[in-house]
Structures are given as C-alpha cells and as structure tokens.
Amino acid sequence: MSVRAEFDDWATSGKDRGMEDRHWHTAKHVLARMPIEEDDVVVDLGTGSGYALRALRERGIDRGYGLDGAPEMARNARGYTDDEDVAFLVGDFDTLPFADDAVDHVSTMEAFYYAADPHRTLREVRRVLKPGGTFYCAVNYFAESESTHGWQEHISVDMTLWSRAEYREAFREAGLAVAEQDTIPDREIHIPPVDAFPTDDWESREAMVDRYRTWGTLLTVGVAP
Ligand SMILES: C[S@@+](CC[C@H](N)C(=O)[O-])C[C@H]1O[C@@H](n2cnc3c(N)ncnc32)[C@H](O)[C@@H]1O
C-alpha cells in the first residue's frame, strides 16, 4: 500500500490528533533543542497534523513548510492553523521541493523510517540545507528499541529499522556531520502496575517500560557543512 493510502485513512479517522498527543511527550523536547532564530525557514518532513511547525512558529521562526505524502494529512494540518506563514505541501521524502541551500533547519518526528530510500532522503536534506543548517531526526522505531519491532506487521508501508550507529553512518555518508545523538524517554505516558498486564497493546510491563522509559525516541542531529 502507498503512503497516501495508508495515512490518508489515518487522517480521515482522526488518528493524526492522537499521534500528535502521544508524540508531543518527546517531540517537545526535540523541538526545544533546535537552535532556531527569528528569521529562519524550517521544513518538517512527514508533518502529520503540523504540530511541530505550530510550536516553532510560536518560538518565532519566519516561515515553516510541512511536507506530507498523504493529502488528507496536509489538508487537516492546514485546518488546524490559520497562520499564513506556515504552508503545507503534498510531496514525497524522495524529492524535496526546495532549492539548494534554501532552508535553515529540517525536522522530522516519527516519520523518517517510512522513506522508501532513506539514503536518498538524507542527500535531499543535505542539498536543501544552508551551510550550518541542521537536521533534527526523531524516530521511535529503531533497532535497539526491540519492543517496537512488531509495528511493521501493522503498517503496509515498508519501514527502515536502523540502529543508532547506522543512523550516524548514513548521515555521514550523505554529507551531514553528526552533532548529537540521544534517546529521549517518554516520562508522561502512564504505565500501569504489573498485575494489569497483558493489556490490549502490551504483553508485559517490562516491554512497555523498555519502549517508553528505557529507549523512547532516538534523536540524531545532522549539520550541513
Ligand atoms: C507516524 S506519522 C507522524 C506525523 C507527525 N510528524 C507526528 O509526529 O505525529 C508519519 C507521517 O509521515 C508521512 N509520510 C510517511 N512516508 C512519507 C513519505 N515517503 N513522504 C512524505 N510523507 C510521508 C505520513 O503521511 C504521516 O503523516
């Protein structure tokens, strides 16, 4: 199934706002680390409901572009803000619709692993970033976080499962220096006591703790030379 078919359905059934609520637990910490300045242009890849750009606009960026492969996601995102300095575009990670050296920062929250060719996406990010521009890439599906590996069975789009080292290596191959890599735990999600398991979503408390508190979201930060 295509990205469009999978995620249009999520958008029309309201899952975009649910994702926003859950992802915000860690995404807010990622966004807080971005070294943005007032006249910056930021692109958010796989923007979903567009919450990242709404938050960055509150911090004063000049302009934001949210790219998403699912038209219904982009349509919903447009409906959640009347800010004319944020634009939502339908497009694919393979070919970013921006000129060379045009963008100050690129962010992506829980979306990069859906790229059909992640190496190509990284080269595209490198191409559009200005010298010194940064790429904040946050993923909660990665090799060390073993309790997330089953997600692929529930999603029709092929997902990339890289380790922390593979992220660093791929960034460097694409010409991005790795400035930081960290895991950001989700300390807000409620984890029930041990006798509540198994739940609908989790076999054991241990697996849920591993997913949210031990590993959380992997952040890799690249800088364009
Ligand atoms: C799991 S959602 C995350 C949305 C949002 N960033 C968040 O944190 O809630 C992934 C988003 O990436 C988009 N996406 C997935 N693959 C894509 C691709 N190859 N090109 C563009 N967008 C893509 C999907 O349509 C979806 O809106």
Side-chain angles (χ1 to χ4, degrees):
M1 198 189 271
S2 67
V3 163
R4 177 181 181 149
E6 175 83 41
F7 291 102
D8 268 351
D9 188 44
W10 289 32
T12 49
S13 61
K15 279 194 190 177
D16 57 337
R17 290 320 282 260
M19 275 195 299
E20 170 175 340
D21 291 345
R22 284 193 310 281
H23 294 165
W24 184 246
H25 297 177
T26 48
K28 65 185 169 193
H29 299 293
V30 173
L31 297 171
R33 295 183 189 197
M34 289 180 73
I36 56 167
E37 294 179 27
E38 290 206 343
D39 56 353
D40 282 349
V41 172
V42 179
V43 171
D44 186 44
L45 299 180
T47 200
S49 70
Y51 68 83
L53 293 174
R54 279 186 266 123
L56 291 175
R57 276 284 292 157
E58 280 179 19
R59 282 177 55 199
I61 62 167
D62 187 48
R63 200 155 172 75
Y65 295 92
L67 183 104
D68 205 287
E72 293 300 328
M73 283 285 184
R75 188 213 298 256
N76 280 4
R78 178 72 278 165
Y80 299 145
T81 176
D82 56 8
D83 182 348
E84 291 182 359
D85 289 320
V86 178
F88 294 102
L89 314 171
V90 177
D92 194 89
F93 298 162
D94 271 358
T95 308
L96 302 185
F98 303 98
D100 297 359
D101 300 345
V103 173
D104 295 286
H105 306 285
V106 177
S107 58
T108 184
M109 306 293 145
E110 316 302 0
F112 180 81
Y113 35 74
Y114 296 119
D117 181 348
H119 295 284
R120 177 172 168 165
T121 300
L122 287 171
R123 288 194 298 274
E124 278 291 275
V125 169
R126 159 77 185 83
R127 179 184 67 73
V128 303
L129 279 174
K130 294 177 185 173
T134 67
F135 179 40
Y136 275 66
C137 177
V139 293
N140 55 16
Y141 177 76
F142 56 103
E144 286 84 358
S145 185
E146 290 180 13
S147 53
T148 64
H149 293 186
W151 292 356
Q152 178 64 86
E153 289 163 32
H154 304 285
I155 293 187
S156 58
V157 178
D158 285 341
M159 298 170 77
T160 291
L161 186 62
W162 282 347
S163 65
R164 289 175 294 177
E166 285 172 315
Y167 269 92
R168 294 196 299 273
E169 194 182 328
F171 272 47
R172 290 176 181 135
E173 267 176 34
L176 295 166
V178 176
E180 181 185 4
Q181 192 175 52
D182 200 2
T183 51
I184 300 175
D186 179 341
R187 299 198 187 286
E188 293 177 43
I189 195 149
H190 173 65
I191 299 183
V194 72
D195 57 3
F197 290 86
T199 67
D200 287 347
D201 295 324
W202 295 98
E203 271 299 306
S204 67
R205 190 173 195 279
E206 198 180 17
M208 195 173 175
V209 167
D210 189 66
R211 153 73 184 89
Y212 290 106
R213 305 282 204 259
T214 307
W215 292 113
T217 284
L218 174 67
L219 170 66
T220 307
V221 180
V223 181

Coordinates of all heavy atoms in Angstrom, one line a residue, residues 3-4 7-8 10 16 19-20 23 27 44-51 67-70 73 91-94 108-111 113-116 157, ligand 1:
V3 N 2.0 5.3 0.8 CA 2.0 6.2 1.9 C 0.7 6.9 1.9 O 0.0 7.1 2.9 CB 3.2 7.2 1.8 CG1 2.9 8.4 2.7 CG2 4.5 6.5 2.1
R4 N 0.2 7.4 0.7 CA -1.0 8.1 0.6 C -2.2 7.3 1.1 O -3.0 7.7 1.9 CB -1.2 8.5 -0.9 CG -2.5 9.2 -1.1 CD -2.7 9.6 -2.5 NE -3.9 10.3 -2.7 CZ -4.2 11.2 -3.6 NH1 -3.2 11.5 -4.4 NH2 -5.3 11.8 -3.6
F7 N -1.9 6.6 5.1 CA -2.0 7.7 6.0 C -3.2 8.7 5.7 O -3.6 9.4 6.6 CB -0.7 8.5 6.1 CG 0.4 7.7 6.7 CD1 1.4 7.0 6.0 CD2 0.4 7.5 8.1 CE1 2.3 6.3 6.6 CE2 1.3 6.7 8.7 CZ 2.3 6.1 8.0
D8 N -3.7 8.7 4.5 CA -5.0 9.4 4.3 C -6.1 8.8 5.2 O -6.8 9.5 5.8 CB -5.4 9.2 2.8 CG -4.9 10.4 2.0 OD1 -4.4 11.4 2.5 OD2 -5.1 10.3 0.7
W10 N -5.6 7.3 8.1 CA -5.3 7.8 9.5 C -5.9 9.2 9.7 O -6.5 9.5 10.7 CB -3.8 7.8 9.8 CG -3.1 6.5 9.9 CD1 -3.4 5.3 9.2 CD2 -2.0 6.2 10.7 NE1 -2.6 4.3 9.6 CE2 -1.7 4.8 10.5 CE3 -1.2 6.9 11.6 CZ2 -0.6 4.2 11.1 CZ3 -0.1 6.3 12.2 CH2 0.1 4.9 12.0
D16 N -4.6 11.5 13.4 CA -3.5 12.5 13.3 C -3.4 13.2 14.7 O -2.3 13.5 15.2 CB -3.7 13.4 12.1 CG -5.0 14.1 12.1 OD1 -6.0 13.6 12.7 OD2 -5.1 15.2 11.5
M19 N -1.9 10.9 17.4 CA -0.5 10.8 17.2 C 0.2 12.1 17.8 O 1.2 12.0 18.5 CB -0.1 10.8 15.7 CG -0.1 9.4 15.1 SD 0.7 9.4 13.5 CE -0.2 10.6 12.6
E20 N -0.4 13.2 17.5 CA 0.1 14.5 18.0 C 0.2 14.4 19.5 O 1.3 14.7 20.1 CB -0.7 15.7 17.6 CG -0.4 17.0 18.2 CD -1.1 18.2 17.7 OE1 -1.7 18.1 16.6 OE2 -1.2 19.2 18.4
H23 N 3.0 11.8 20.5 CA 4.4 12.2 20.1 C 4.9 13.4 20.8 O 6.1 13.7 20.9 CB 4.4 12.4 18.6 CG 4.2 11.1 17.8 ND1 3.9 11.0 16.5 CD2 4.2 9.8 18.2 CE1 3.7 9.7 16.1 NE2 3.9 9.0 17.2
A27 N 8.4 14.8 21.4 CA 8.8 15.8 20.3 C 9.0 17.2 20.9 O 9.9 17.9 20.4 CB 7.6 15.9 19.3
D44 N 9.4 20.7 7.9 CA 9.1 19.5 8.7 C 8.6 18.4 7.8 O 7.6 18.5 7.1 CB 8.0 19.9 9.7 CG 7.7 18.7 10.7 OD1 8.7 18.1 11.2 OD2 6.5 18.5 11.0
L45 N 9.4 17.3 7.8 CA 9.1 16.1 6.9 C 8.1 15.2 7.6 O 8.4 14.7 8.7 CB 10.4 15.4 6.5 CG 11.4 16.2 5.8 CD1 12.7 15.4 5.5 CD2 10.9 16.8 4.5
G46 N 7.1 14.8 6.9 CA 6.1 13.9 7.4 C 5.4 14.6 8.6 O 5.2 14.1 9.7
T47 N 4.8 15.8 8.2 CA 4.4 16.7 9.3 C 3.1 16.3 10.0 O 2.8 16.7 11.1 CB 4.2 18.1 8.6 OG1 4.2 19.1 9.6 CG2 2.9 18.2 7.8
G48 N 2.3 15.3 9.4 CA 1.1 14.9 10.1 C 0.2 16.0 10.4 O -0.2 16.8 9.5
S49 N -0.2 16.2 11.6 CA -1.1 17.3 12.0 C -0.4 18.7 12.0 O -1.1 19.7 12.2 CB -1.7 17.1 13.4 OG -0.6 17.3 14.4
G50 N 0.9 18.8 11.8 CA 1.6 20.0 11.6 C 2.0 20.7 13.0 O 2.4 21.8 13.0
Y51 N 1.9 19.9 14.1 CA 2.1 20.5 15.4 C 3.5 21.0 15.5 O 3.7 22.0 16.2 CB 1.8 19.5 16.5 CG 2.8 18.3 16.6 CD1 4.0 18.4 17.2 CD2 2.5 17.1 16.0 CE1 4.9 17.4 17.3 CE2 3.3 16.0 16.0 CZ 4.5 16.2 16.7 OH 5.4 15.1 16.7
L67 N 5.8 19.1 4.9 CA 5.6 18.2 3.8 C 5.0 16.9 4.2 O 5.4 16.3 5.3 CB 7.0 18.0 3.1 CG 6.9 17.1 1.9 CD1 7.1 18.0 0.6 CD2 8.0 16.1 1.9
D68 N 4.0 16.4 3.5 CA 3.4 15.1 3.8 C 3.0 14.4 2.6 O 2.5 15.1 1.6 CB 2.3 15.3 4.8 CG 2.1 14.0 5.6 OD1 1.6 13.0 5.1 OD2 2.5 14.0 6.8
G69 N 3.2 13.1 2.5 CA 2.8 12.3 1.4 C 1.3 12.0 1.3 O 0.8 11.6 0.3
A70 N 0.6 12.3 2.4 CA -0.9 12.0 2.4 C -1.7 13.3 2.3 O -1.6 14.1 3.2 CB -1.2 11.3 3.7
M73 N -3.7 14.3 5.3 CA -2.9 14.8 6.4 C -2.6 16.3 6.2 O -2.8 17.1 7.2 CB -1.6 14.1 6.6 CG -1.7 12.7 7.1 SD -1.9 12.8 9.0 CE -1.8 11.1 9.3
G91 N 3.9 16.0 -0.8 CA 5.1 15.6 -1.6 C 5.7 14.4 -0.9 O 5.3 13.9 0.1
D92 N 6.8 13.9 -1.5 CA 7.5 12.7 -1.0 C 8.9 13.0 -0.5 O 9.5 13.9 -1.1 CB 7.5 11.6 -2.1 CG 7.9 10.2 -1.5 OD1 6.9 9.5 -1.1 OD2 9.1 9.9 -1.4
F93 N 9.3 12.2 0.5 CA 10.7 12.4 1.0 C 11.8 12.3 -0.1 O 12.9 12.7 0.1 CB 11.0 11.4 2.1 CG 10.1 11.5 3.3 CD1 10.0 10.5 4.2 CD2 9.3 12.7 3.6 CE1 9.2 10.5 5.3 CE2 8.5 12.7 4.7 CZ 8.4 11.7 5.6
D94 N 11.4 11.6 -1.1 CA 12.4 11.3 -2.2 C 12.9 12.5 -2.9 O 14.1 12.6 -3.3 CB 11.8 10.4 -3.3 CG 12.0 8.9 -2.9 OD1 12.6 8.6 -1.9 OD2 11.5 8.1 -3.7
T108 N 12.0 16.2 11.5 CA 11.1 15.1 11.2 C 10.8 14.3 12.5 O 11.8 13.9 13.1 CB 11.6 14.2 10.0 OG1 10.6 13.3 9.7 CG2 12.9 13.5 10.3
M109 N 9.6 14.2 12.8 CA 9.1 13.5 14.0 C 8.4 12.2 13.7 O 7.3 12.3 13.1 CB 8.2 14.4 14.8 CG 8.7 15.8 15.1 SD 10.1 15.7 16.3 CE 11.0 17.1 15.6
E110 N 9.0 11.1 14.0 CA 8.3 9.8 13.8 C 7.8 9.6 12.4 O 6.7 9.1 12.2 CB 7.2 9.7 14.8 CG 7.5 10.1 16.3 CD 8.7 9.4 16.9 OE1 9.3 8.5 16.3 OE2 9.0 9.7 18.1
A111 N 8.7 9.9 11.4 CA 8.3 9.7 10.0 C 9.4 9.2 9.1 O 9.1 8.6 8.1 CB 7.7 11.0 9.5
Y113 N 11.4 6.8 9.1 CA 11.6 5.4 8.8 C 10.6 4.9 7.7 O 10.7 3.8 7.3 CB 11.4 4.5 10.1 CG 10.4 5.1 11.1 CD1 9.0 5.0 10.8 CD2 10.8 5.6 12.3 CE1 8.1 5.5 11.8 CE2 9.9 6.2 13.2 CZ 8.6 6.1 12.9 OH 7.7 6.6 13.8
Y114 N 9.7 5.8 7.3 CA 8.8 5.5 6.2 C 9.4 5.8 4.8 O 8.8 5.5 3.8 CB 7.5 6.2 6.3 CG 6.7 5.7 7.5 CD1 6.3 6.7 8.5 CD2 6.3 4.4 7.7 CE1 5.6 6.3 9.6 CE2 5.5 4.0 8.8 CZ 5.2 5.0 9.7 OH 4.5 4.6 10.8
A115 N 10.5 6.5 4.8 CA 11.2 6.9 3.5 C 11.5 5.6 2.7 O 12.0 4.7 3.2 CB 12.4 7.7 3.7
A116 N 11.1 5.7 1.4 CA 11.3 4.5 0.5 C 12.8 4.3 0.3 O 13.3 3.2 0.3 CB 10.6 4.7 -0.8
V157 N 3.3 0.2 4.8 CA 4.4 0.8 4.1 C 5.7 0.2 4.7 O 5.8 0.0 6.0 CB 4.4 2.3 4.4 CG1 5.6 3.0 3.9 CG2 3.1 3.0 3.9
Ligands
LIG1 C1 3.6 8.4 12.1 S1 3.1 9.9 11.2 C2 3.9 11.2 12.1 C3 3.3 12.5 12.0 C4 3.8 13.6 12.8 N1 5.2 14.0 12.5 C5 3.8 13.3 14.3 O1 4.8 13.2 15.0 O2 2.6 13.0 14.8 C6 4.1 9.8 9.7 C7 3.8 10.9 8.7 O3 4.7 10.8 7.6 C8 4.1 10.8 6.4 N2 4.9 10.1 5.4 C9 5.3 8.8 5.5 N3 6.1 8.5 4.5 C10 6.2 9.6 3.7 C11 6.9 9.9 2.5 N4 7.7 9.0 1.9 N5 6.9 11.2 2.0 C12 6.1 12.1 2.7 N6 5.4 11.9 3.8 C13 5.5 10.6 4.3 C14 2.7 10.2 6.6 O4 1.8 10.5 5.7 C15 2.4 10.6 8.1 O5 1.6 11.8 8.1

